[in-house]
Amino acid sequence: SKNRLVRDLTVCDNLFVLRKGFRQYILTPKILDQQAGLLLSQTGFSIDPNELVDELSEFERVVVELVKAVLQRARLIVLDEISAILSMSDIHKLIRLMQHYTKQGFSFLYILAT
């Protein structure tokens, strides 16, 4: 239930503007939207880059946070008790997404709730 997304900002803003190393002073929303759309389309899920994070489902928030970690090139992504907030069908979709990113060299630590 904890995440690092700002709920009152858009998905695009959370992915690009609020990250370490972002030094662009003049923002071109069209380009950022295109880049966010490309990243999100690679997940196989349709998430609107201009939608507020607060309006996303729990699963979509997890996907956005996962994409943000991939974008920041985190080599180990920890999913702590994610099964406590997601349904079984969402967990299966998340596992397929994790397998996709594992093939790209990312590692996951999946901690189950007991």
Side-chain angles (χ1 to χ4, degrees), residues 1-48:
S1 62
K2 295 179 195 173
N3 64 47
R4 297 179 185 264
L5 301 176
V6 179
R7 297 176 81 105
D8 295 330
L9 294 178
T10 66
V11 171
C12 186
D13 291 340
N14 272 279
L15 288 176
F16 294 112
V17 179
L18 298 176
R19 71 181 176 127
K20 245 184 208 180
F22 186 82
R23 294 190 172 103
Q24 195 169 348
Y25 295 104
I26 299 174
L27 302 177
T28 48
K30 185 177 179 180
I31 293 173
L32 292 179
D33 286 346
Q34 288 173 345
Q35 290 176 346
L38 179 64
L39 285 168
L40 293 168
S41 70
Q42 291 174 357
T43 66
F45 307 108
S46 60
I47 300 173
D48 181 5

Side-chain angles (χ1 to χ4, degrees), residues 45 59 83 86-96:
F45 307 108
F59 175 72
S83 59
L86 296 180
S87 69
M88 284 306 292
S89 64
D90 286 342
I91 289 177
H92 289 295
K93 291 187 279 188
L94 182 64
I95 289 171
R96 284 195 306 272

Side-chain angles (χ1 to χ4, degrees), residues 7 50-57 60-61:
R7 297 176 81 105
N50 294 308
E51 191 166 356
L52 293 176
V53 168
D54 199 31
E55 297 173 0
L56 298 175
S57 68
E60 290 171 328
R61 285 187 198 125

Side-chain angles (χ1 to χ4, degrees), residues 49-81:
N50 294 308
E51 191 166 356
L52 293 176
V53 168
D54 199 31
E55 297 173 0
L56 298 175
S57 68
E58 287 296 329
F59 175 72
E60 290 171 328
R61 285 187 198 125
V62 170
V63 170
V64 170
E65 196 157 11
L66 185 61
V67 169
K68 184 175 180 173
V70 167
L71 186 61
Q72 294 177 345
R73 303 200 190 300
R75 288 296 168 202
L76 176 64
I77 300 168
V78 179
L79 298 142
D80 188 9
E81 298 184 12

